[in-house]
Amino acid sequence: MSAFLRTTSHTLKSVRCFSASAARKDLNKVQLIGRIGADPTITELDADRRVVNYTVATSETRPDKEGNLIKRTQWHRVTSWSSADWFGKVKKGDLVYVEGQLRYSDYTDKEGTPRTKAEIYQSTFKLLTPRNREEQQQ
């Protein structure tokens, strides 16, 4: 039998999932490392529920046809429904790692135009900016 026609069942055994959610057929996962665009805003919904909204900027630099470096920045809206107190430690410019799900919302703006908004519903947050940087600046 030709080498091209052999069945290889061992390839499926070597597949490793990178997270518990990856074992499912569908995956909606966003991972970002970027800078906080503005201090997070907190909205208290009731005694034990609050929502935190903030933006994260990610940038990439690449050369154009002439060799000049072009920097492109993307802004991402992030929403957190967790009751953690991480937002008190975060301020504009901090480097963060955010993980979550991408969600789309349809709405109509003031002029009556239908729009779609993309948001990341945060599931994991890590502050990557060293705290000793703050102490050195003060």
Side-chain angles (χ1 to χ4, degrees):
M1 182 180 273
S2 169
F4 296 111
L5 300 176
R6 287 188 200 147
T7 59
T8 55
S9 61
H10 67 282
T11 56
L12 293 177
K13 293 178 184 176
S14 64
V15 174
R16 287 183 41 183
C17 296
F18 55 87
S19 70
S21 62
R24 295 186 234 139
K25 291 182 182 181
D26 296 332
L27 178 65
N28 180 356
K29 185 175 187 178
V30 176
Q31 296 176 312
L32 299 173
I33 295 178
R35 302 245 173 224
I36 297 286
D39 292 340
T41 59
I42 302 125
T43 305
E44 299 283 340
L45 301 175
D46 54 34
D48 36 331
R49 282 191 351 148
R50 66 179 158 214
V51 61
V52 180
N53 293 301
Y54 61 99
T55 56
V56 174
T58 56
S59 298
E60 67 175 319
T61 305
R62 62 175 181 81
D64 63 5
K65 292 179 182 179
E66 290 81 37
N68 301 320
L69 292 179
I70 297 174
K71 185 176 182 179
R72 189 176 85 180
T73 302
Q74 298 285 326
W75 289 93
H76 312 277
R77 291 184 182 110
V78 183
T79 300
S80 174
W81 291 91
S82 68
S83 59
D85 290 331
W86 59 265
F87 57 85
K89 302 172 188 168
V90 175
K91 64 181 188 309
K92 180 180 177 178
D94 283 345
L95 186 64
V96 296
Y97 168 81
V98 176
E99 187 175 305
Q101 292 184 327
L102 184 60
R103 303 261 175 108
Y104 293 97
S105 306
D106 294 326
Y107 69 98
T108 305
D109 66 9
K110 294 176 184 176
E111 289 81 33
T113 308
R115 303 240 182 222
T116 301
K117 174 173 73 169
E119 285 182 303
I120 298 164
Y121 276 40
Q122 172 189 306
S123 60
T124 303
F125 177 89
K126 291 182 182 162
L127 182 62
L128 302 177
T129 301
R131 289 292 96 194
N132 60 2
R133 184 194 78 166
E134 276 183 8
E135 295 165 2
Q136 292 172 358
Q137 291 178 351
Q138 291 178 358

